[in-house]
Amino acid sequence: MERTPEGTPVGIDDPYAVAGACDHLTDDGRCRFALTRAGDDPAFAAARRADDHACHVGPDAEWRACPHYRSTTDGRECARCGLAEVRLAHEDARPLVEEHHLSYGDADDVGRAAADVTAADDLGPDAAAPRDDAGDADRDDAGPHEITVALCRWCHAKVHTGVARVDDDASPDPEAIAAREGRRTREREESAFSTARERYGSDGGGE
Ligand SMILES: [Zn+2]
Ligand SMILES: [Zn+2]
């Protein structure tokens, strides 16, 4: 299994198995990278331009074959247990759902160091074990790519301590449910308060 720069498990054997569509893919199947960042990779952009900027890997979901593939989460729902984020309008509370890296990008995005230490020859006992996808070694791999998913705080901790995997069929931790319900209650209180304030005047009733 791949590991983070700190040596903790990322919780999945093949990040590409759960990775979503490329962040650069437009709704009509074109490559936004080639359209807007042509100068960053002129040869790549020219090849895409010659094909009306169509994404060259998306139709087959062969994401790993593209040098500019990147899939980062919008962070709204835990990929493992399904817990949804509840954001409170007036608070800076720590989010319930966090971004978790399955794979780190290349030098131009997040830095060479992070990419290097996730290579298969690094830390930990898993590194020496045969990899599930060893048979795919000859497949086109233009990576490393940055791939993230959303995990709730509770699943995130479990994944990094190695007791859970991202693709487990799990339901939310009781503590996660309690935290979510606590926020929903606060959310309702806040909206009741602002309704009251609208009704009774700008200072909330004026004490
Ligand atoms: Zn979760
Ligand atoms: Zn993480």
Side-chain angles (χ1 to χ4, degrees), residues 57-176:
V57 295
D60 306 315
E62 280 294 329
W63 302 115
R64 76 169 83 200
C66 179
H68 295 296
Y69 174 62
R70 177 176 186 269
S71 178
T72 54
T73 179
D74 59 8
R76 282 197 281 258
E77 190 179 298
C78 177
R80 179 169 179 269
C81 75
L83 188 85
E85 180 64 272
V86 181
R87 284 194 213 283
L88 296 174
H90 305 293
E91 284 181 44
D92 237 359
R94 185 181 167 192
L96 299 179
V97 177
E98 303 173 329
E99 185 175 34
H100 169 66
H101 275 86
L102 300 178
S103 171
Y104 293 81
D106 207 347
D108 58 338
D109 286 331
V110 281
R112 193 76 239 174
D116 281 348
V117 289
T118 51
D121 59 357
D122 78 339
L123 336 135
D126 276 6
R131 294 172 45 135
D132 289 356
D133 57 356
D136 302 331
D138 55 346
R139 189 153 70 185
D140 273 353
D141 189 349
H145 299 108
E146 183 175 19
I147 300 173
T148 71
V149 293
L151 287 178
C152 73
R153 263 149 50 186
W154 295 265
C155 291
H156 200 181
K158 289 175 196 165
V159 163
H160 280 293
T161 52
V163 299
R165 298 170 54 90
V166 171
D167 51 0
D168 288 337
D169 186 12
S171 33
D173 191 283
E175 279 185 41

